[in-house]
Amino acid sequence: MPVVGLGHTGLWVDDLEKMRDFYERVIGLTVTDSDDEQGMVFLSAQPGIEHHEFVLQRGRTAPAGSKLPHQISWRVDSVETLQMYHERFKAEGVPVQQEVTHGNAYGIYFFDPEGNRGEVYLRIDRPVPQPFRKSLHVEQPVDEIHAEAERPLNDGTPAYQPATWTPLPDSAGSSRRRAVLPAYRH
């Protein structure tokens, strides 16, 4: 299987400051980046090796007591493997939220059959402050993917391009998620 390991996971939270304190002070993780405007905190158990293994983001919408993961991210070994997932997700009808560059990674955000968000991603050896997220087209040749990922690093646009999605009923009447992607600008 082309997945080489679990890279990081995250949680939607109500009280970001309380959760940050718990994971930083009680669990012992190190804050590697944060963004108050986006309401995000990136934490790592080994910041010299992995920028973050855990993300907290303000925005929990489920009632207290509900279990709701932010995402589960699976590290892959190459751009070609990301492209394989792009094709597999398309063939299987897997809802894709966004294909992105984070500057320090390329990834594909997707939803599992029960609507949980996941990501397959390739780590890129480049220090880029987080959050950084811009659309990336992984169906093109590898050298063009790398060139496209380089352009937004210094293009002067906001570093974080959020993607949104809306639940759509499927033929069985249950909700499925469909990506509503922001316009991509070269």
Side-chain angles (χ1 to χ4, degrees):
M1 189 69 190
V3 165
V4 295
L6 178 63
H8 57 267
T9 191
L11 297 174
W12 295 109
V13 301
D14 285 325
D15 188 340
L16 184 61
E17 293 72 26
K18 182 178 184 179
M19 294 290 281
R20 175 183 175 156
D21 175 66
F22 174 82
Y23 282 101
E24 189 176 14
R25 187 179 50 78
V26 177
I27 302 300
L29 299 178
T30 300
V31 172
T32 56
D33 273 315
S34 65
D35 184 318
D36 292 337
E37 183 179 324
Q38 297 294 331
M40 299 174 80
V41 177
F42 298 82
L43 301 113
S44 181
Q46 39 187 347
I49 297 171
E50 189 74 40
H51 178 271
H52 62 277
E53 293 128 337
F54 196 58
V55 178
L56 300 172
Q57 184 168 10
R58 191 176 296 122
R60 184 180 178 100
T61 58
S66 298
K67 305 295 185 221
L68 183 64
H70 176 268
Q71 71 192 47
I72 299 171
S73 298
W74 301 96
R75 193 169 46 232
V76 300
D77 61 354
S78 67
V79 171
E80 291 83 1
T81 300
L82 273 181
Q83 292 175 317
M84 183 270 309
Y85 276 107
H86 170 88
E87 293 302 320
R88 181 177 291 171
F89 291 163
K90 198 163 46 169
E92 295 287 334
V94 173
V96 170
Q97 182 186 26
Q98 190 177 22
E99 296 176 341
V100 302
T101 175
H102 291 298
N104 64 3
Y106 306 155
I108 302 173
Y109 287 90
F110 64 93
F111 295 98
D112 72 15
E114 293 188 0
N116 296 301
R117 187 168 76 158
E119 176 191 22
V120 288
Y121 78 99
L122 174 65
R123 227 173 29 189
I124 304 298
D125 189 20
R126 172 188 295 261
V128 176
Q130 299 297 308
F132 184 95
R133 179 179 171 147
K134 304 253 181 136
S135 291
L136 183 67
H137 299 94
V138 302
E139 74 283 355
Q140 58 192 336
V142 172
D143 59 337
E144 291 179 31
I145 292 170
H146 292 304
E148 182 181 342
E150 283 292 313
R151 284 191 291 275
L153 291 172
N154 299 302
D155 68 3
T157 62
Y160 189 74
Q161 179 189 53
T164 59
W165 60 94
T166 55
L168 294 177
D170 64 17
S171 59
S174 64
S175 274
R176 266 190 95 133
R177 295 177 185 221
R178 176 186 69 184
V180 178
L181 302 177
Y184 180 76
R185 295 184 196 123
H186 284 279

mmCIF file of all heavy atoms in Angstrom, residues 1 5 11 13 36 55 60 62 67 70-71 74 83 89 107 135 159 161:
data_model
loop_
_atom_site.group_PDB
_atom_site.id
_atom_site.type_symbol
_atom_site.label_atom_id
_atom_site.label_comp_id
_atom_site.label_asym_id
_atom_site.label_seq_id
_atom_site.Cartn_x
_atom_site.Cartn_y
_atom_site.Cartn_z
ATOM 1 N N MET A 1 0.847 -1.185 0.000
ATOM 2 C CA MET A 1 0.000 0.000 0.000
ATOM 3 C C MET A 1 0.882 1.235 0.000
ATOM 4 O O MET A 1 1.880 1.278 0.710
ATOM 5 C CB MET A 1 -0.892 -0.044 1.247
ATOM 6 C CG MET A 1 -1.960 0.986 1.288
ATOM 7 S SD MET A 1 -3.186 0.626 0.025
ATOM 8 C CE MET A 1 -4.138 2.076 0.063
ATOM 9 N N GLY A 5 2.357 6.114 6.476
ATOM 10 C CA GLY A 5 2.126 6.341 7.901
ATOM 11 C C GLY A 5 1.112 7.427 8.147
ATOM 12 O O GLY A 5 0.740 8.165 7.243
ATOM 13 N N LEU A 11 -8.509 18.448 15.509
ATOM 14 C CA LEU A 11 -9.836 18.516 16.097
ATOM 15 C C LEU A 11 -10.435 19.894 15.917
ATOM 16 O O LEU A 11 -9.744 20.903 16.080
ATOM 17 C CB LEU A 11 -9.772 18.233 17.601
ATOM 18 C CG LEU A 11 -9.302 16.864 18.051
ATOM 19 C CD1 LEU A 11 -9.171 16.844 19.562
ATOM 20 C CD2 LEU A 11 -10.249 15.784 17.569
ATOM 21 N N VAL A 13 -12.628 22.618 17.666
ATOM 22 C CA VAL A 13 -12.797 22.875 19.099
ATOM 23 C C VAL A 13 -13.669 24.104 19.332
ATOM 24 O O VAL A 13 -13.789 24.974 18.470
ATOM 25 C CB VAL A 13 -11.434 23.060 19.810
ATOM 26 C CG1 VAL A 13 -10.560 21.825 19.636
ATOM 27 C CG2 VAL A 13 -10.703 24.300 19.317
ATOM 28 N N ASP A 36 -4.232 33.375 15.152
ATOM 29 C CA ASP A 36 -5.422 33.782 15.899
ATOM 30 C C ASP A 36 -6.585 34.110 14.977
ATOM 31 O O ASP A 36 -7.737 33.817 15.296
ATOM 32 C CB ASP A 36 -5.109 34.978 16.803
ATOM 33 C CG ASP A 36 -4.165 34.608 17.935
ATOM 34 O OD1 ASP A 36 -4.088 33.410 18.295
ATOM 35 O OD2 ASP A 36 -3.491 35.519 18.458
ATOM 36 N N VAL A 55 -3.423 19.301 15.088
ATOM 37 C CA VAL A 55 -3.947 20.634 14.791
ATOM 38 C C VAL A 55 -5.228 20.845 15.595
ATOM 39 O O VAL A 55 -6.073 19.951 15.666
ATOM 40 C CB VAL A 55 -4.277 20.789 13.286
ATOM 41 C CG1 VAL A 55 -4.861 22.165 12.997
ATOM 42 C CG2 VAL A 55 -3.060 20.527 12.428
ATOM 43 N N ARG A 60 -15.952 24.144 16.051
ATOM 44 C CA ARG A 60 -16.762 22.960 16.312
ATOM 45 C C ARG A 60 -18.242 23.329 16.226
ATOM 46 O O ARG A 60 -18.690 24.321 16.797
ATOM 47 C CB ARG A 60 -16.440 22.415 17.706
ATOM 48 C CG ARG A 60 -17.159 21.134 18.026
ATOM 49 C CD ARG A 60 -16.789 20.661 19.438
ATOM 50 N NE ARG A 60 -17.501 19.463 19.768
ATOM 51 C CZ ARG A 60 -16.974 18.256 19.707
ATOM 52 N NH1 ARG A 60 -15.734 18.103 19.339
ATOM 53 N NH2 ARG A 60 -17.698 17.202 20.011
ATOM 54 N N ALA A 62 -20.711 20.641 16.381
ATOM 55 C CA ALA A 62 -21.474 19.554 16.989
ATOM 56 C C ALA A 62 -21.791 19.895 18.442
ATOM 57 O O ALA A 62 -21.021 20.590 19.106
ATOM 58 C CB ALA A 62 -20.682 18.255 16.928
ATOM 59 N N LYS A 67 -18.572 13.405 19.215
ATOM 60 C CA LYS A 67 -17.205 13.162 18.748
ATOM 61 C C LYS A 67 -17.129 13.600 17.297
ATOM 62 O O LYS A 67 -17.925 13.180 16.468
ATOM 63 C CB LYS A 67 -16.848 11.679 18.849
ATOM 64 C CG LYS A 67 -17.042 11.108 20.238
ATOM 65 C CD LYS A 67 -16.094 11.726 21.229
ATOM 66 C CE LYS A 67 -16.232 11.063 22.572
ATOM 67 N NZ LYS A 67 -16.181 11.958 23.679
ATOM 68 N N HIS A 70 -11.428 16.562 13.105
ATOM 69 C CA HIS A 70 -11.114 17.602 12.124
ATOM 70 C C HIS A 70 -10.664 16.939 10.824
ATOM 71 O O HIS A 70 -11.170 17.226 9.757
ATOM 72 C CB HIS A 70 -10.017 18.497 12.709
ATOM 73 C CG HIS A 70 -9.511 19.550 11.814
ATOM 74 N ND1 HIS A 70 -8.425 19.371 10.990
ATOM 75 C CD2 HIS A 70 -9.917 20.816 11.614
ATOM 76 C CE1 HIS A 70 -8.184 20.485 10.327
ATOM 77 N NE2 HIS A 70 -9.074 21.381 10.688
ATOM 78 N N GLN A 71 -9.673 16.045 10.924
ATOM 79 C CA GLN A 71 -9.167 15.299 9.776
ATOM 80 C C GLN A 71 -8.223 14.214 10.258
ATOM 81 O O GLN A 71 -7.712 14.285 11.369
ATOM 82 C CB GLN A 71 -8.420 16.207 8.800
ATOM 83 C CG GLN A 71 -7.081 16.680 9.348
ATOM 84 C CD GLN A 71 -6.468 17.785 8.527
ATOM 85 O OE1 GLN A 71 -7.142 18.728 8.180
ATOM 86 N NE2 GLN A 71 -5.179 17.655 8.248
ATOM 87 N N TRP A 74 -2.796 11.077 6.084
ATOM 88 C CA TRP A 74 -1.932 9.934 5.790
ATOM 89 C C TRP A 74 -0.811 10.381 4.872
ATOM 90 O O TRP A 74 -1.053 10.883 3.778
ATOM 91 C CB TRP A 74 -2.745 8.832 5.124
ATOM 92 C CG TRP A 74 -3.871 8.374 5.979
ATOM 93 C CD1 TRP A 74 -5.177 8.792 5.920
ATOM 94 C CD2 TRP A 74 -3.800 7.441 7.042
ATOM 95 N NE1 TRP A 74 -5.906 8.158 6.885
ATOM 96 C CE2 TRP A 74 -5.098 7.316 7.590
ATOM 97 C CE3 TRP A 74 -2.765 6.687 7.587
ATOM 98 C CZ2 TRP A 74 -5.380 6.481 8.648
ATOM 99 C CZ3 TRP A 74 -3.045 5.843 8.644
ATOM 100 C CH2 TRP A 74 -4.341 5.745 9.158
ATOM 101 N N GLN A 83 -0.929 11.479 -7.228
ATOM 102 C CA GLN A 83 -1.653 11.390 -8.488
ATOM 103 C C GLN A 83 -2.458 10.099 -8.573
ATOM 104 O O GLN A 83 -3.573 10.090 -9.101
ATOM 105 C CB GLN A 83 -0.678 11.496 -9.665
ATOM 106 C CG GLN A 83 -0.060 12.868 -9.782
ATOM 107 C CD GLN A 83 0.995 12.951 -10.852
ATOM 108 O OE1 GLN A 83 1.836 12.060 -10.993
ATOM 109 N NE2 GLN A 83 0.974 14.040 -11.610
ATOM 110 N N PHE A 89 -9.627 8.316 -6.269
ATOM 111 C CA PHE A 89 -10.779 9.026 -5.701
ATOM 112 C C PHE A 89 -11.801 9.344 -6.787
ATOM 113 O O PHE A 89 -13.002 9.212 -6.589
ATOM 114 C CB PHE A 89 -10.338 10.307 -4.998
ATOM 115 C CG PHE A 89 -9.559 10.094 -3.730
ATOM 116 C CD1 PHE A 89 -8.820 11.130 -3.193
ATOM 117 C CD2 PHE A 89 -9.546 8.874 -3.061
ATOM 118 C CE1 PHE A 89 -8.093 10.972 -2.014
ATOM 119 C CE2 PHE A 89 -8.825 8.694 -1.896
ATOM 120 C CZ PHE A 89 -8.096 9.748 -1.367
ATOM 121 N N GLY A 107 -1.202 18.090 -0.731
ATOM 122 C CA GLY A 107 -2.191 17.165 -0.198
ATOM 123 C C GLY A 107 -3.505 17.166 -0.953
ATOM 124 O O GLY A 107 -3.805 18.078 -1.726
ATOM 125 N N SER A 135 -4.808 26.182 -3.596
ATOM 126 C CA SER A 135 -5.181 25.098 -4.510
ATOM 127 C C SER A 135 -3.995 24.662 -5.359
ATOM 128 O O SER A 135 -3.121 25.465 -5.706
ATOM 129 C CB SER A 135 -6.323 25.540 -5.425
ATOM 130 O OG SER A 135 -7.513 25.681 -4.685
ATOM 131 N N ALA A 159 -2.117 33.857 2.624
ATOM 132 C CA ALA A 159 -1.488 32.535 2.700
ATOM 133 C C ALA A 159 -2.496 31.410 2.859
ATOM 134 O O ALA A 159 -2.218 30.278 2.491
ATOM 135 C CB ALA A 159 -0.493 32.494 3.862
ATOM 136 N N GLN A 161 -6.099 29.821 1.959
ATOM 137 C CA GLN A 161 -7.250 29.801 1.070
ATOM 138 C C GLN A 161 -8.186 28.704 1.546
ATOM 139 O O GLN A 161 -8.009 27.536 1.228
ATOM 140 C CB GLN A 161 -6.777 29.519 -0.358
ATOM 141 C CG GLN A 161 -7.883 29.446 -1.384
ATOM 142 C CD GLN A 161 -7.345 28.950 -2.708
ATOM 143 O OE1 GLN A 161 -6.700 27.910 -2.772
ATOM 144 N NE2 GLN A 161 -7.607 29.694 -3.763
#
